[in-house]
Amino acid sequence: MAVSLNHTIVPATDHRAAARFFATVMGLEELPPAGADGHFAPVRVNERLTLDFMTVPAAEGHHLAFDVDPDTFDAILARIRAAGIPYGSSPRDRTNGRIDHPLCPRGLFFADDSGNLYEVMSPA
């Protein structure tokens, strides 16, 4: 069996709000609460991977990067713009409103209220 990532924990100040934000922006499915007492708010990323958001007392933001096809990138960018979410082309300037990513033809960074930094990259 090949190695594959099944899930990872994403720290949040409010796990349900963070999961909803991420799922909405990315166009993904937010799953029912999981774990003892529903302490995980999972989001299905693909057939094998979930991001399991979990409330922690002092959330330290993580960096999560995603490769997407051009149509998915366009849809994500449209949702970000419609929601007025700041985004940018660099982790150092995530509010410049640009998508000229340094490592791919189009890419952007945006953050959630817990300080998690999301990177979305497209080959075209």
Side-chain angles (χ1 to χ4, degrees):
M1 176 180 191
V3 175
S4 64
L5 184 62
N6 176 273
H7 70 276
T8 191
I9 305 299
V10 181
T13 53
D14 177 338
H15 67 302
R16 299 297 301 275
R20 189 170 306 111
F21 171 81
F22 175 74
T24 300
V25 169
M26 298 295 283
L28 299 171
E29 179 185 8
E30 184 180 356
L31 300 173
D37 303 317
H39 64 279
F40 293 126
V43 175
R44 169 80 44 212
V45 174
N46 59 39
E47 61 279 350
R48 293 188 153 182
L49 176 63
T50 61
L51 297 186
D52 294 354
F53 291 82
M54 184 174 85
T55 299
V56 296
E60 263 186 43
H62 288 198
H63 174 217
L64 299 135
F66 302 89
D67 290 323
V68 299
D69 62 62
D71 290 339
T72 301
F73 184 88
D74 291 340
I76 291 167
L77 181 58
R79 287 189 290 271
I80 286 173
R81 287 177 172 163
I85 298 167
Y87 68 93
S89 59
S90 164
R92 289 184 277 300
D93 191 358
R94 36 185 125 150
T95 62
N96 65 16
R98 295 174 20 200
I99 60 170
D100 55 327
H101 194 282
L103 302 176
C104 62
R106 295 190 307 159
L108 59 84
F109 296 82
F110 68 96
D112 67 17
D113 290 340
S114 298
N116 293 302
L117 179 63
Y118 304 102
E119 181 177 10
V120 182
M121 298 175 285
S122 174

